[in-house]
Amino acid sequence: MKAELRREMRRRLSAPRGEIILPVGEDEPFIPKGTKTLFAYLAHSGEIDAAALIDDAIARGISVAAPSVVSEGHLEFRAIGGSQGPFKTGAYGIREPLETAPKLWPGALGPEAFPVVILVPALAFSRSGDRLGRGAGYYDRFLTQFLAENAVERRRILLIGACHSFQIVETVPVESHDIPVDCILTEKGCIVCS
């Protein structure tokens, strides 16, 4: 079932469409007030664009980091100064921060880095927050390690799934190691997960 759902979502994501971005929100910011650190992603392969959210967070004084793929299928997050870079092309043709950018994670985050918001891309989400990744497990490993290292701060870590509204499906097959998101942000707004 996972393989079929992945194929279908990849097909949908490859369909041509105009630029669709995550909402920023003026009266109700989608990155909660008081957030100190945002772990974002740089969109590729039809993913919904988080650029406006990234730039809004930076304008609000929030530290923003984006992922780079490192050895053995793990991610590290480096600080970025805006959605337009400078970036390099990394694994799978994805834009990544330069190696000279300060590394925010892995590494110990001090209490001043919290509250933290993590934007989590995926191929599909259910309304209950279950997610279907691309299959390589990068975000599964990152979230598992990050949440374990910062378990004492879990109440101050918000996991936000980010996707197009058509990527919301009835159910997503899950396994014991899968970590659901707290809410999902699409171009149409925010869904709070149960």
Side-chain angles (χ1 to χ4, degrees), residues 15-129:
R17 71 184 63 76
E19 180 185 34
I20 299 176
I21 60 171
L22 287 173
V24 172
E26 306 232 349
D27 298 326
E28 177 187 344
F30 289 101
I31 300 299
K33 291 178 180 166
T35 298
K36 301 293 185 200
T37 307
L38 170 64
F39 287 87
Y41 68 92
L42 302 172
H44 74 81
S45 299
E47 290 175 332
I48 195 160
D49 196 344
L53 219 57
I54 289 169
D55 291 336
D56 177 66
I58 291 168
R60 291 170 46 200
I62 297 170
S63 296
V64 178
S68 297
V69 174
V70 294
S71 64
E72 300 176 25
H74 292 277
L75 298 176
E76 69 179 16
F77 283 78
R78 292 186 176 273
I80 60 172
S83 65
Q84 300 307 308
F87 301 120
K88 66 174 186 159
T89 301
Y92 310 105
I94 301 170
R95 294 174 300 149
E96 297 181 348
L98 303 177
E99 284 102 4
T100 55
K103 184 166 56 170
L104 267 64
W105 189 89
L109 293 179
E112 70 284 352
F114 293 88
V116 168
V117 169
I118 302 174
L119 285 183
V120 184
L123 288 174
F125 290 95
S126 71
R127 288 186 173 275
S128 61

